[in-house]
Amino acid sequence: MAQRNLTLLTDLYELTMMQGYFKEKDANETVIFDAFYRSNPNNNGYSICAGLEQVIEYVKNLHFDKEDVDYLRTTGLFGEDFLDYLHHFKFTGDIYAIPEGTVVFPREPLVKVIAPIMEAQLVETAILNIINHQSLIATKTARVIYAAQGDGVMEFGLRRAQGPDAGIYGARAAMIAGCIGTSNVLAGQMFDVPIKGTHAHSWIMSFPDELTAFRTYAKLYPSACILLVDTYDTLKSGVPNAIKVFNEMREAGIPLTFYGIRLDSGDLAYLSKKAKKMLDAAGFPDAVISASNDLDENLISSLKLQGATINSWGVGTNLITSKDCPSFGGVYKLAAVKDKKTGEFIPKIKLSENAEKITNPGNKTIQRIYNKETGKIIADLICLVDETYNSKDPLLLFDPVETWKKTHLAPDSYTLRELMIPVFKDGVCIYESPKVMELQAYCKSELATLWEESLRLEYPHRTHVDLSQPLWNMKNQLLDSYHFQG
């Protein structure tokens, strides 16, 4: 799938604008675009960025096949000179990005494209499509895993995902954010991640009786024997039959390395507590009690509060679709245009009556500021790329809107880390994406830098995203100049 040519995975207006640049402007004019988002999904305290590896694959394979050009010709919208240009099109610019698995916050660039305007314009749609989707699912997954309080969470959503790609790359994002495995076998193969699953009710129903179905499954998979107990009657039939099978395995000398039951319907809190008592009384206190059935972070939290004895969670529909918040809301905005004479970038800004939609201009990067003692995030500082910071100097942070809100950081009380890394240089990829399980370990370390108040599911603490003084000055000078022109 990495070799698919997704060049036409774009909105039509990207191509019509490209032709406009080609005919009416300098097509080699270098610009900067930022991809960012304005608010965390689910009213969360943070997001997790994901999808960079697929962006890299897309850009590497960016070209117009003959069939692509022939198709565009049939629309009647494009001239032959422009279509001829597309035959030879390739990406020649630079891309900077925040690594996958990083905790991120609104308004800071996740991806920055510095390229000739036609190239930078074309990649907008696909970058947003990829980053928006995987960041959404990774963020949703992190909420589910937080609610599970250390229990294993498995991604079970393929059959409910919006198509194969959403199932495959949603599973990838879920693994980055911390799932212990996925039911999606193709995702397991593609990304070298653990695959997990048990059996369906149809397995039980295909046998003459439940006990025979359990015995057969245990014979086939003795080292991974999780039995689905709610086909007929969970407490009167399912759990007692599972216990019989576990006893038979023990008597036969078969090691009970990973075994237990799965609940997929009914009152999960009540059933799990009753099942736990039955398993304990029968001498199986370490049996896994797994649950599925339209779970999400809110239901898992509720079940925990009710004392449910579930210690493994299979989460499907509500995770893979991020059902209660189905879009991430990332945008892609022009931030600067290079002056041909001076070689310097001229900042650009988008105005709006909605203050949140006013963009941050210029060639920017992000400095993450940590408390030196705890390693927790104090704030993120969006600044211009030529600014320098040293943790041995005092640092003043201020809210970019309510500027009277200020924080003074003493020298050596904080540490700094620049978040954006170079990914493409002059059209050549210079970054190698880590494997998914490496990204998972990195994401876990990233989540550990958040204060507990930022992790809670309801009314989380909002991490400050501030502007540096030079960037704030630039932005306000542009705002004043447009007001004066008006």
Side-chain angles (χ1 to χ4, degrees), residues 380-394:
D380 277 0
L381 185 67
I382 305 177
C383 55
L384 300 172
V385 292
D386 56 358
E387 295 183 56
T388 58
Y389 292 88
N390 191 323
S391 60
K392 295 188 178 300
D393 297 327

Side-chain angles (χ1 to χ4, degrees), residues 145-440:
I145 289 172
Y146 177 79
Q149 299 177 20
D151 297 339
V153 174
M154 297 166 286
E155 186 279 308
F156 279 0
L158 178 57
R159 63 188 59 193
R160 300 285 178 79
Q162 283 99 340
D165 276 7
I168 292 165
Y169 295 107
R172 179 184 186 275
M175 291 301 303
I176 290 172
C179 280
I180 63 171
T182 174
S183 66
N184 187 329
V185 179
L186 181 55
Q189 179 194 46
M190 289 175 63
F191 309 122
D192 192 22
V193 298
I195 53 175
K196 295 185 179 292
T198 56
H199 58 80
H201 295 102
S202 58
W203 171 266
I204 309 296
M205 296 160 64
S206 71
F207 286 85
D209 56 75
E210 186 177 58
L211 183 58
T212 302
F214 285 176
R215 282 173 173 158
T216 307
Y217 192 83
K219 178 184 176 182
L220 290 168
Y221 308 107
S223 62
C225 186
I226 304 295
L227 303 175
L228 181 60
V229 295
D230 69 336
T231 304
Y232 301 121
D233 189 305
T234 300
L235 299 179
K236 292 181 180 179
S237 172
V239 176
N241 281 330
I243 289 172
K244 285 181 185 179
V245 171
F246 300 152
N247 273 317
E248 291 169 358
M249 294 173 70
R250 179 177 285 171
E251 290 168 2
I254 299 171
L256 294 171
T257 53
F258 184 75
Y259 74 105
I261 64 172
R262 177 163 73 97
L263 303 168
D264 190 51
S265 62
D267 187 326
L268 296 179
Y270 172 79
L271 293 174
S272 69
K273 287 185 280 189
K274 288 292 186 181
K276 175 65 175 170
K277 288 182 180 180
M278 296 166 70
L279 289 162
D280 287 354
F284 302 104
D286 58 346
V288 171
I289 299 180
S290 178
S292 46
N293 189 30
D294 290 334
L295 298 171
D296 63 10
E297 67 271 35
N298 299 311
L299 181 51
I300 292 173
S301 293
S302 176
L303 289 167
K304 288 281 188 182
L305 288 172
Q306 296 172 62
T309 58
I310 299 160
N311 54 18
S312 177
W313 308 86
V315 188
T317 304
N318 294 329
L319 184 154
I320 204 67
T321 64
S322 188
K323 187 174 181 180
D324 54 346
C325 183
S327 65
F328 192 69
V331 295
Y332 186 85
K333 300 297 180 184
L334 182 68
V337 175
K338 181 177 277 190
D339 186 295
K340 291 185 228 177
K341 294 181 180 178
T342 65
E344 296 181 355
F345 280 106
I346 302 169
K348 297 290 182 177
I349 192 170
K350 175 189 176 296
L351 302 185
S352 173
E353 293 184 2
N354 183 342
E356 289 188 355
K357 291 193 173 184
I358 298 175
T359 59
N360 292 317
N363 188 5
K364 303 176 293 297
T365 189
I366 307 150
Q367 293 285 350
R368 177 152 291 171
I369 305 164
Y370 301 91
N371 181 292
K372 188 174 183 179
E373 182 178 344
T374 65
K376 303 294 186 183
I377 298 172
I378 297 173
D380 277 0
L381 185 67
I382 305 177
C383 55
L384 300 172
V385 292
D386 56 358
E387 295 183 56
T388 58
Y389 292 88
N390 191 323
S391 60
K392 295 188 178 300
D393 297 327
L395 182 62
L396 173 64
L397 302 174
F398 62 92
D399 187 289
V401 178
E402 299 172 323
T403 54
W404 61 90
K405 295 181 179 179
K406 299 179 180 180
T407 299
H408 295 266
L409 300 179
D412 289 322
S413 68
Y414 65 96
T415 59
L416 293 162
R417 170 190 165 206
E418 186 171 359
L419 291 189
M420 303 198 82
I421 57 170
V423 177
F424 281 85
K425 182 67 177 176
D426 297 327
V428 177
C429 182
I430 58 174
Y431 173 77
E432 183 176 352
S433 294
K435 293 184 179 298
V436 169
M437 297 310 290
E438 294 172 336
L439 291 171
Q440 183 184 96

